Amino acid sequence: MLDIKEMEGDGSQPLLSGQNGSSTPGMNFMTPAHFLSDFAAGGGGDDADLGGEGEDKGRESLSVASEAAGQAKGRKGCVSKLCVLATVGVLAVLGVVGFFLGGPSIAASELNGSSVAFTRLTMSDPSADDYSFEVQADVMISDVSPLDGTIGEMAVDLIYKGTKLGRLQMPAIDVKAGQDNYKSVDSQRFVVEEDARDVWDEFSNAMLMEGTVDWTLEGTASVTSSVLGISMTFDNLDFHKEIPLTCFDGLDDVQMSVFDLTQSTPDQILVEMSVCLKNPSDISISNLGDMYFGVYYGESYMGNVTAESAKVEVTKDDASSVGCEQFGATGYNLIPMFGNLEPSDHDAADELMSRYLSGQDTAVSAKALSPVADSLPMFNQGMQGLSLDTTLNGDETPLIVGIEFKSATISPVNNDALNMAMVADVSMQNPLGPESPLYITEVNMVVDMSYAGATVGTAKTFDTNVPEPNEVKGNSVLTVPAFALLELPDKGAALTKFAKDLINLDSLDTGLLGDTSTVAYCPALGYSMNIAGVPIVLPNEDTAPPLPPVSVQGMGGLKDVSILSYSISGVVPDGTDGCTEMCGLVMGVTARVNNPSPFGLEIGTLNGELRDGNGVTLGTVGTDPATNFVLSPGINNVTMTGKMSPQGDDAILAAADFMSAYMNNSAQVTTVYGTDAGDTTVSWLNDIVNGVELSALFPGAGDDFEALTEIDIKSMDMELTADGRVRAASTVRARLNVPPEVDQSIILDVDFSGMKFDLIDVDSLSHLGRIELEVADVPVIYEDGYITATFDKTDLVIKDFEGMQKCVKDLMVGPSKNVLMKGTASPHVKTGMGVLQLSEVPFEGQTIMYGYNNLLDPVSGDPEMKITKIDIASGETGKLNMLIDVEVINPSNVKPELGAVTMELWTYNETDADSGFKIGEVTVEDFILDANEDKNAVTTFKAVPATYITPTDGKKSEDAGSLFLSNFVSGINQTAALRGAADGSGTDRDLLKPALAAMRSSSDVPGLVGNLLRRSTMHLPNPFGHDSLYNLPTDLYVYNPFSADMTMTSSHCDIYPCKEYADDSYTKCKTWYEESAGYYTPDALDETVKAGETKKLDTKEVKLNSILSREMIQTLFSSAGGGALIKLNGTMGVSVGDFHMDVYVAEHDVPICLAYAGSLHDCDAR
């Protein structure tokens, strides 16, 4: 509250006092306001209106009057209203007179006693040419008393340290006593007096550096007030105010909001930084001009920055600038600054950058440059010595944002350490941005590598040179080859888990925690920076965006393994490792192992068990210790040697299955299961190797591999049964092959072999039939790589009936037939690793089944079927029943068992097998031909029923039949054609019918051995009879060689004497007379010769062709020995039973004896 102080009368004594301003003791001087207040309190009530609303409002301010009115109200007694009104009027008049007389003093006191403060002072639009700017202010006037009023518009001088800086035009201000009165001063141009500029510089410096600055406002004021409705203005009042101005206090609260180097160029490191200045004042400066600072780290100069058109517009109570809210809700101003770094001290610059890039907070300062700290002269001097001290927060954006291992090969050192040769792609964010490169020339990393919550080891790369290209611009990837020593805790326990998971998993995440020291050449600075302690934190959840862990591609179980080559080269010698026999097979394998991981491992020696797909151990293998096996990233060729040596029954069975599948050309999963790393002393290496699995498909024997080749059917028995089955037995020889990668010596013996195979026609590819034999049913002899297997008769199950018919036919009519035997064998094999029962080893081989070739010699074409004897058993009309002996050479190695077979006899035509005339049939009741490997087995059939059937197809057929019989009777060997019936009726075996119908064979048919006419005796004719000299009585002796009686019914045979004998024995004629001497006989015959007997026929005449003298007859028909030889050519009628035949006969070398009286020989004795 602004109290009315002293009002000067004559200047010697107070006229008014807030307590008792009277100089007369005990007397109180009451102002009109006191009186009005008292009146209102005592009886005026609400109806009193003396002085109006302004007076009402003034009561609260005039505390003295209010107190007096309260006392009046409390008086006891009765005062009439009239007295009160009279008193009020007097007092009002007195008050007005008093106010008029003392008003100037009251107004001056009111001005001087009031308080003036700037609640906001805004400076803008400063001039670059003079010390002028726009100013606008918010003013608060308080402590006004005793009266409300109006301070009139006035010009005030702004004085600092007694020097007028300039003039400020203040507007009229209405003030209320007892209140804070606010008023805005409109923007106006403030011009610093030219001769006061030096003082202004002091003022501006104090404004920046000090918490408060006292300045003075001086001027001449006018005050207008009202009393009892009467308004009065008092002019020319002195106005003088010492006003404390709250200032910037050195701007000691400076926060770094942004520090950015990413706009740097190849030639300069450009800094963009934003600081948040805490404004502790009510001063707002909208343009400080361009402010120039030097950036310092400690006492080391780093470079310049400029705050262009800087402004501090936010006062202490204003909301903070956007970008500064994090430092406080009010008072912070964002000041962008731009510049470049040109450090004078490289070591200090390196230290600063190291701290910054490592995320450490660092005290830095921006010091106003001297002599030019500001582009505006009016602020330049004031800024001298200004230092904005702040903290450069460590860069939250990491320099290293990712690491990808391109390759990393682990080499054991000992139980506590390993070496790692690696190449890593390091993803980096260049803090200088995309245009200002850094050339990384050297790194030195110390990093803890972790996996699954445990530290694998601490990697130290030491000083590592980085080869070109080593440029980093913006976000770049730098390829860094390095050699690191990894120190292992806990004897490599965590490493073992990491390595095992690395081998088995497709990917795994690792952590890296450490830092790197880096040497980087910076062209923009012109020197190589040594940056220490750049953090490597992967993963990092505190960055934006979060950095992931280092993802390492695993080996995925090393599934991409393929076998390049292998060998099973022989037998492990007996006695090896205490084994007595069958100690195993020597084997080796080279595999291609694709390691998809960038990590590799130097193992040295890898030993393991060879396991099949079911995990059964078949043997052991290992790498050569001398080769130092390294499982490198990418493609590895691994050679392992060892032996297949299954132990125990289960393993033997598994080995048999393995070899069976192998020879079946079936690829099968085979695994090398790691057991140890040889004789290494590094325990964690053994732990890693133990359990490593290298699985691959062990290849089959090959597409072109055949277990059996050179299949040779040594002999075969093929029976066509009456019920339509085919039963076969055979001895087959074949080469038992092993693939080229396997040595034949691994097979020690084979004693049995099951077989299942199809017999396939090579021409038609028809599967004719199938044979299945159990192992025990096929004994085997093994010798020099060949097996000879023999099996007894078993069913050949027909799969293609028509095809089988054709096969039988082809065999019947052709010399050979190519067939395919395709199936499986199950040999029981003694090998170098044990006795194995192999199962269903496939084979496919072509072989030859030699055919019967129509029973003709396949080379000469001569008949292989020979009728060696013909016996006539009986005769009936049109049929001559015979019994024949037949000898057959089988041109095949297949023994046929065909049941009853009937073949037709046809006259033979050498040039046309289908021509001729049917003359009979031959039936073999059980047609079985022996067979052998040489294809020359001979089978003899005795007394085979045969029938001669008289042809009835015309004269030619009759003549052909007659000729056949004539040749036979005449002892002439001939050939007869053999055919099966065209309708297949020659057999009741359906499989054989087409074959028999197609058969076109022949047989030698011998002529009758010896003459039917055994001898002849001629008698000299009666010289005296009629024609007696032409008729020569003759006795014929006829032999019947057959089993049936034979009746001779006629004969007309020319007789030819022998002209020249072959020798002196006279038993063979060399030359015959060409002219017939006569014929036998014109007489009728009816002579039956019993079977197997010789009979002298009744004497018949030989009709001579000329009359001969006795001498002539004797000369012709006798010899010195008492006889001669003749031949008879002609016809003869013979009947056997009801069968009659007229045949041409040619009987040679028939002995003849001429009986006459006086002869010296006895014809009957011959």
Side-chain angles (χ1 to χ4, degrees):
M1 174 177 241
L2 179 62
D3 294 333
I4 298 177
K5 299 191 189 266
E6 297 178 337
M7 295 185 65
E8 301 288 339
D10 58 5
S12 61
Q13 64 178 13
L15 298 178
L16 295 174
S17 174
Q19 296 295 325
N20 186 349
S22 174
S23 60
T24 303
M27 180 180 177
N28 289 328
F29 181 84
M30 182 176 290
T31 66
H34 284 88
F35 175 79
L36 290 174
S37 177
D38 182 56
F39 173 77
D46 293 335
D47 295 329
D49 188 7
L50 300 176
E53 182 181 352
E55 286 294 319
D56 250 353
K57 293 179 178 178
R59 290 190 185 130
E60 184 178 355
S61 301
L62 301 176
S63 60
V64 176
S66 297
E67 182 179 355
Q71 293 172 354
K73 185 177 179 181
R75 294 183 184 143
K76 297 180 182 180
C78 176
V79 182
S80 68
K81 289 186 177 181
L82 181 59
C83 292
V84 172
L85 290 174
T87 301
V88 169
V90 173
L91 291 175
V93 172
L94 291 176
V96 171
V97 173
F99 179 70
F100 177 76
L101 293 176
S105 296
I106 295 172
S109 177
E110 188 170 4
L111 282 176
N112 291 328
S114 64
S115 296
V116 178
F118 286 89
T119 60
R120 186 179 188 90
L121 178 63
T122 301
M123 303 168 66
S124 63
D125 192 20
S127 171
D129 298 325
D130 58 16
Y131 282 46
S132 68
F133 54 89
E134 291 290 320
V135 64
Q136 185 271 332
D138 291 339
V139 179
M140 181 185 74
I141 301 175
S142 57
D143 298 331
V144 176
S145 69
L147 299 176
D148 297 342
T150 300
I151 301 174
E153 181 180 353
M154 64 176 171
V156 295
D157 293 334
L158 195 155
I159 298 171
Y160 178 68
K161 291 187 176 180
T163 299
K164 175 185 174 182
L165 298 178
R167 176 163 289 181
L168 185 65
Q169 191 68 32
M170 300 290 288
I173 304 173
D174 293 332
V175 296
K176 300 291 184 182
Q179 295 186 18
D180 291 337
N181 298 275
Y182 296 93
K183 184 64 177 180
S184 292
V185 179
D186 293 337
S187 178
Q188 56 191 278
R189 195 73 184 171
F190 183 84
V191 180
V192 178
E193 299 288 334
E194 186 172 353
D195 58 358
R197 290 181 179 178
D198 290 342
V199 178
W200 170 265
D201 291 340
E202 292 182 37
F203 168 75
S204 63
N205 184 263
M207 181 177 61
L208 289 173
M209 299 297 186
E210 298 176 13
T212 59
V213 174
D214 292 331
W215 61 358
T216 302
L217 297 181
E218 290 184 354
T220 300
S222 64
V223 176
T224 301
S225 294
S226 296
V227 176
L228 297 178
I230 300 174
S231 176
M232 298 185 69
T233 299
F234 306 98
D235 295 322
N236 298 315
L237 299 175
D238 288 335
F239 181 81
H240 180 93
K241 286 291 180 184
E242 292 287 339
I243 300 176
L245 182 64
T246 305
C247 294
F248 295 106
D249 198 20
L251 295 172
D252 60 357
D253 186 353
V254 181
Q255 305 294 331
M256 186 73 72
S257 174
V258 175
F259 185 83
D260 182 26
L261 303 175
T262 61
Q263 301 305 311
S264 299
T265 69
D267 302 321
Q268 287 184 311
I269 295 183
L270 300 181
V271 179
E272 291 187 10
M273 55 187 286
S274 295
V275 295
C276 291
L277 302 179
K278 176 69 173 180
N279 182 357
S281 76
D282 295 315
I283 302 172
S284 173
I285 304 177
S286 62
N287 187 356
L288 281 166
D290 296 343
M291 302 169 69
Y292 308 120
F293 296 92
V295 178
Y296 285 81
Y297 170 54
E299 297 301 321
S300 298
Y301 171 76
M302 295 290 111
N304 290 341
V305 292
T306 298
E308 296 179 352
S309 299
K311 54 188 175 181
V312 183
E313 291 183 311
V314 176
T315 66
K316 63 182 178 60
D317 297 321
D318 292 340
S320 295
S321 300
V322 175
C324 294
E325 301 94 328
Q326 69 269 32
F327 304 114
T330 60
Y332 283 95
N333 291 264
L334 184 68
I335 308 294
M337 298 182 181
F338 304 90
N340 62 290
L341 296 184
E342 295 177 318
S344 59
D345 185 334
H346 292 173
D347 291 340
D350 292 350
E351 182 179 338
L352 174 62
M353 289 302 294
S354 298
R355 293 180 61 84
Y356 173 66
L357 295 176
S358 64
Q360 299 181 59
D361 294 343
T362 305
V364 295
S365 59
K367 297 181 180 181
L369 294 179
S370 179
V372 180
D374 197 288
S375 63
L376 297 176
M378 62 179 295
F379 293 130
N380 181 52
Q381 289 301 320
M383 284 187 57
Q384 296 301 315
L386 176 64
S387 178
L388 303 180
D389 298 327
T390 186
T391 298
L392 176 61
N393 301 118
D395 193 1
E396 294 181 357
T397 302
L399 177 65
I400 296 176
V401 296
I403 292 179
E404 179 183 357
F405 289 102
K406 305 300 290 184
S407 66
T409 299
I410 296 171
S411 299
V413 175
N414 52 43
N415 285 327
D416 301 312
L418 61 82
N419 290 325
M420 184 162 64
M422 61 183 174
V423 176
D425 279 353
V426 181
S427 297
M428 306 181 71
Q429 296 186 122
N430 185 346
L432 305 183
E435 300 300 330
S436 186
L438 291 174
Y439 294 92
I440 310 299
T441 59
E442 186 177 299
V443 295
N444 186 338
M445 291 184 283
V446 178
V447 181
D448 285 345
M449 179 179 179
S450 61
Y451 174 68
T455 298
V456 174
T458 299
K460 299 178 180 180
T461 64
F462 307 103
D463 292 337
T464 300
N465 292 325
V466 179
E468 296 180 353
N470 57 353
E471 182 184 65
V472 177
K473 294 177 77 173
N475 293 331
S476 300
V477 176
L478 198 65
T479 299
V480 180
F483 179 86
L485 174 68
L486 196 68
E487 297 173 348
L488 307 174
D490 300 328
K491 305 298 182 183
L495 171 68
T496 300
K497 177 172 176 53
F498 167 74
K500 282 185 173 292
D501 286 353
L502 179 72
I503 292 170
N504 293 319
L505 301 180
D506 292 331
S507 65
L508 57 164
D509 292 336
T510 63
L512 296 179
L513 179 61
D515 57 59
T516 178
S517 296
T518 303
V519 178
Y521 176 73
C522 177
L525 294 178
Y527 78 96
S528 291
M529 305 173 67
N530 289 281
I531 310 300
V534 176
I536 301 174
V537 183
L538 299 169
N540 190 344
E541 296 293 334
D542 296 331
T543 61
L547 298 180
V550 178
S551 182
V552 177
Q553 182 178 358
M555 301 181 189
L558 293 171
K559 296 176 182 176
D560 186 6
V561 180
S562 56
I563 293 177
L564 301 178
S565 63
Y566 65 92
S567 65
I568 301 176
S569 56
V571 176
V572 175
D574 293 347
T576 301
D577 297 330
C579 171
T580 56
E581 63 172 346
M582 294 185 289
C583 299
L585 307 181
V586 178
M587 76 171 303
V589 60
T590 297
R592 172 187 175 273
V593 180
N594 181 18
N595 175 10
S597 172
F599 273 76
L601 177 62
E602 180 181 340
I603 296 175
T605 301
L606 172 61
N607 292 328
E609 296 176 352
L610 181 68
R611 296 181 176 182
D612 69 4
N614 295 318
V616 179
T617 299
L618 303 179
T620 56
V621 292
T623 61
D624 184 353
T627 63
N628 188 32
F629 170 53
V630 179
L631 181 60
S632 300
I635 302 301
N636 298 266
N637 289 341
V638 184
T639 298
M640 307 184 82
T641 58
K643 62 181 179 179
M644 291 185 67
S645 55
Q647 303 298 310
D649 293 343
D650 290 343
I652 288 292
L653 291 175
D657 291 342
F658 179 86
M659 294 302 294
S660 297
Y662 167 64
M663 299 185 75
N664 193 17
N665 195 29
S666 295
Q668 53 193 315
V669 175
T670 308
T671 301
V672 174
Y673 185 89
T675 55
D676 60 73
D679 57 0
T680 181
T681 59
V682 179
S683 59
W684 57 259
L685 182 60
N686 270 323
D687 293 340
I688 292 172
V689 168
N690 186 14
V692 169
E693 294 187 13
L694 298 178
S695 294
L697 286 177
F698 196 91
D703 293 337
D704 57 350
F705 172 72
E706 296 295 343
L708 298 177
T709 56
E710 302 178 37
I711 299 175
D712 182 11
I713 300 176
K714 309 302 289 183
S715 63
M716 189 174 185
D717 187 346
M718 181 179 291
E719 176 187 2
L720 307 183
T721 66
D723 57 4
R725 293 178 299 140
V726 177
R727 289 177 58 76
S730 185
T731 295
V732 180
R733 185 175 187 268
R735 179 168 185 82
L736 179 59
N737 296 308
V738 293
E741 297 83 359
V742 181
D743 192 90
Q744 190 78 33
S745 65
I746 72 166
I747 300 177
L748 305 180
D749 195 11
V750 183
D751 53 3
F752 288 93
S753 178
M755 301 181 73
K756 298 177 182 179
F757 64 90
D758 282 359
L759 191 66
I760 301 172
D761 187 321
V762 171
D763 298 328
S764 66
L765 298 181
S766 168
H767 288 244
L768 307 176
R770 182 172 181 80
I771 290 177
E772 295 189 0
L773 298 160
E774 297 299 326
V775 174
D777 294 337
V778 187
V780 171
I781 297 173
Y782 178 75
E783 186 177 5
D784 296 331
Y786 287 85
I787 61 170
T788 301
T790 300
F791 60 89
D792 294 333
K793 276 187 184 179
T794 189
D795 283 345
L796 190 158
V797 179
I798 297 173
K799 300 178 73 171
D800 181 352
F801 184 82
E802 292 182 356
M804 182 61 77
Q805 280 186 321
K806 182 179 182 302
C807 177
V808 174
K809 174 184 173 182
D810 291 345
L811 289 172
M812 180 65 75
V813 302
S816 63
K817 182 171 184 60
N818 291 330
V819 294
L820 194 66
M821 296 174 69
K822 181 177 182 179
T824 61
S826 299
H828 187 251
V829 185
K830 181 180 180 181
T831 72
M833 63 175 169
V835 178
L836 306 180
Q837 176 57 67
L838 304 183
S839 61
E840 298 187 354
V841 177
F843 69 87
E844 179 177 340
Q846 185 170 309
T847 187
I848 297 175
M849 293 181 68
Y850 289 96
Y852 307 107
N853 197 40
N854 282 315
L855 296 177
L856 300 175
D857 187 294
V859 178
S860 66
D862 294 337
E864 297 280 33
M865 183 174 183
K866 296 180 180 180
I867 299 174
T868 58
K869 178 181 178 183
I870 299 176
D871 183 18
I872 298 174
S874 64
E876 51 188 293
T877 302
K879 292 183 179 181
L880 186 62
N881 298 318
M882 300 177 289
L883 295 173
I884 63 175
D885 290 348
V886 180
E887 182 180 275
V888 181
I889 299 174
N890 185 356
S892 170
N893 58 354
V894 179
K895 176 181 180 180
E897 297 187 37
L898 307 179
V901 173
T902 297
M903 291 175 284
E904 297 177 346
L905 285 171
W906 287 65
T907 58
Y908 179 73
N909 186 328
E910 185 176 0
T911 61
D912 185 1
D914 289 326
S915 65
F917 303 99
K918 179 179 177 180
I919 57 175
E921 294 178 346
V922 176
T923 299
V924 179
E925 293 298 334
D926 191 7
F927 193 93
I928 299 175
L929 294 182
D930 290 334
N932 61 19
E933 183 179 349
D934 296 329
K935 298 179 285 296
N936 60 4
V938 178
T939 302
T940 300
F941 298 95
K942 296 290 188 179
V944 175
T947 301
Y948 174 82
I949 302 172
T950 302
T952 58
D953 294 337
K955 181 70 166 57
K956 288 185 177 181
S957 68
E958 293 174 1
D959 291 345
S962 177
L963 178 61
F964 177 81
L965 292 176
S966 297
N967 288 337
F968 170 68
V969 171
S970 300
I972 298 173
N973 294 335
Q974 58 185 328
T975 301
L978 289 172
R979 302 183 192 175
D983 59 1
S985 58
T987 179
D988 61 356
R989 275 42 169 185
D990 290 338
L991 282 173
L992 185 59
K993 289 180 180 294
L996 203 57
M999 182 179 176
R1000 297 292 184 268
S1001 186
S1002 62
S1003 176
D1004 289 339
V1005 180
L1008 188 61
V1009 178
N1011 295 325
L1012 289 177
L1013 302 177
R1014 288 301 179 93
R1015 60 190 179 92
S1016 173
T1017 300
M1018 292 183 177
H1019 302 276
L1020 290 175
N1022 182 2
F1024 304 105
H1026 178 68
D1027 295 330
S1028 58
L1029 295 178
Y1030 289 92
N1031 297 317
L1032 187 65
T1034 302
D1035 298 329
L1036 287 181
Y1037 294 84
V1038 177
Y1039 172 68
N1040 180 2
F1042 305 118
S1043 298
D1045 294 345
M1046 177 178 67
T1047 300
M1048 300 188 64
T1049 60
S1050 63
S1051 175
H1052 189 288
C1053 296
D1054 290 329
I1055 298 173
Y1056 296 90
C1058 180
K1059 182 177 182 180
E1060 180 181 1
Y1061 291 92
D1063 53 37
D1064 293 340
S1065 66
Y1066 298 101
T1067 58
K1068 201 74 173 175
C1069 181
K1070 182 178 180 181
T1071 305
W1072 302 97
Y1073 283 103
E1074 294 182 358
E1075 297 296 329
S1076 169
Y1079 68 92
Y1080 176 87
T1081 175
D1083 300 331
L1085 295 175
D1086 186 14
E1087 295 281 352
T1088 298
V1089 181
K1090 295 294 184 181
E1093 296 183 1
T1094 301
K1095 180 180 180 182
K1096 175 186 175 185
L1097 302 184
D1098 293 342
T1099 301
K1100 302 296 182 180
E1101 290 183 346
V1102 171
K1103 192 69 172 180
L1104 298 175
N1105 292 328
S1106 62
I1107 299 176
L1108 300 175
S1109 63
R1110 289 175 64 93
E1111 293 79 13
M1112 177 59 77
I1113 293 173
Q1114 185 174 358
T1115 300
L1116 291 175
F1117 296 104
S1118 63
S1119 65
L1125 299 177
I1126 61 173
K1127 70 174 183 178
L1128 289 84
N1129 290 342
T1131 61
M1132 183 179 293
V1134 179
S1135 294
V1136 176
D1138 293 334
F1139 179 82
H1140 179 76
M1141 54 183 170
D1142 290 314
V1143 296
Y1144 176 84
V1145 294
E1147 298 275 312
H1148 295 268
D1149 297 320
V1150 177
I1152 184 170
C1153 180
L1154 183 62
Y1156 56 92
S1159 65
L1160 298 177
H1161 57 270
D1162 182 3
C1163 288
D1164 290 336
R1166 299 188 63 152

